[in-house]
Amino acid sequence: MTAVLPAVVHPEDVRRRELAGFLRSRRERITPDQVGLPPGGRRRTPGLRREEVAQLAGVGVTWYTWLEQGRDIRASEQVLDAVASTLRLDPNERSHLFTLAGLPESAAEKECRAVPGPVHLMLRQLEPFPACVQNARTDILAFNRSYDLLVGGLSGKPFDERNSLVRLFLHPDSRDRIVDWTEASARLVAQFRAAMAEHVAEPSWKCLVKRLRQESPEFARLWSQHDVSSPENLTKRYLHPEVGLLRMDYTHFWLGRRSETRLVSYTPADEETRQKLILLNAMD
């Protein structure tokens, strides 16, 4: 009797099947009214139809159908961002989608891993003074413990939430700590718009703007004003829930002649703030 050999399952086939199942599950949990569509009569399955997802994401119906069927097709970062936005994926779900689609990590995540060891050492040596490393898109690529204590729980956030604009406009706990929020938010949006002039075609920048405009009317209003500015070394006031008012002078240090990545240090503007930072860092 001839032995029957088990079929060889290719890892790519498994990945595409997982992608197909994940997309179906996310599509079926969204109702038409959540995305501004009429109910459309009786539906055989819960949630949105495939053609509705395709229409809202701005992709072809056939292409999206093939993607959800697990066929061997390739999707760009821009297209997957559109699908993720349509399906209302949170940062963890979006990351999962990109992994299943076989796309490499984002440029910002690569930047995060590429922060040199000596820079991490500098961040540690600056304690108890807060410091972080940011890129032009305002992603926070690295930070020390003092900065985490200052802004509140950054280390527990997924990568997509470690962004100064996201925290400023979409995280009430971060917003409440900035005393001069109105001036600070307008300044950061103007800096971001100026920086985006060199990145207008990049999906990650466009998707960040789209998310902020959809979720924050205040960002949408500031964005529509088209103000631009450059980063400045100024003083910022924080209201920390445990140690009270902190007055911090922040300074930008660019990591290279043509680099858009910079180390930002926060030094106390007065002796009272210096003592409070020492106290804050002594807390567990």
Side-chain angles (χ1 to χ4, degrees), residues 17 19-29 50 64 68-70:
R17 285 200 297 269
L19 173 61
F22 180 67
L23 286 171
R24 284 194 298 273
S25 70
R26 301 304 93 172
R27 172 171 60 84
E28 290 173 354
R29 73 178 180 178
R50 286 173 177 167
Y64 180 77
E68 199 175 286
Q69 289 175 343

Side-chain angles (χ1 to χ4, degrees), residues 6-53:
V8 177
V9 179
H10 197 279
E12 286 296 300
D13 294 333
V14 176
R15 180 180 60 77
R16 285 195 294 270
R17 285 200 297 269
E18 286 292 320
L19 173 61
F22 180 67
L23 286 171
R24 284 194 298 273
S25 70
R26 301 304 93 172
R27 172 171 60 84
E28 290 173 354
R29 73 178 180 178
I30 299 176
T31 59
D33 61 285
Q34 287 180 296
V35 292
L37 293 175
R42 206 169 164 187
R43 292 172 177 261
R44 291 181 298 173
T45 57
L48 297 178
R49 300 186 178 103
R50 286 173 177 167
E51 57 267 27
E52 290 170 336
V53 174

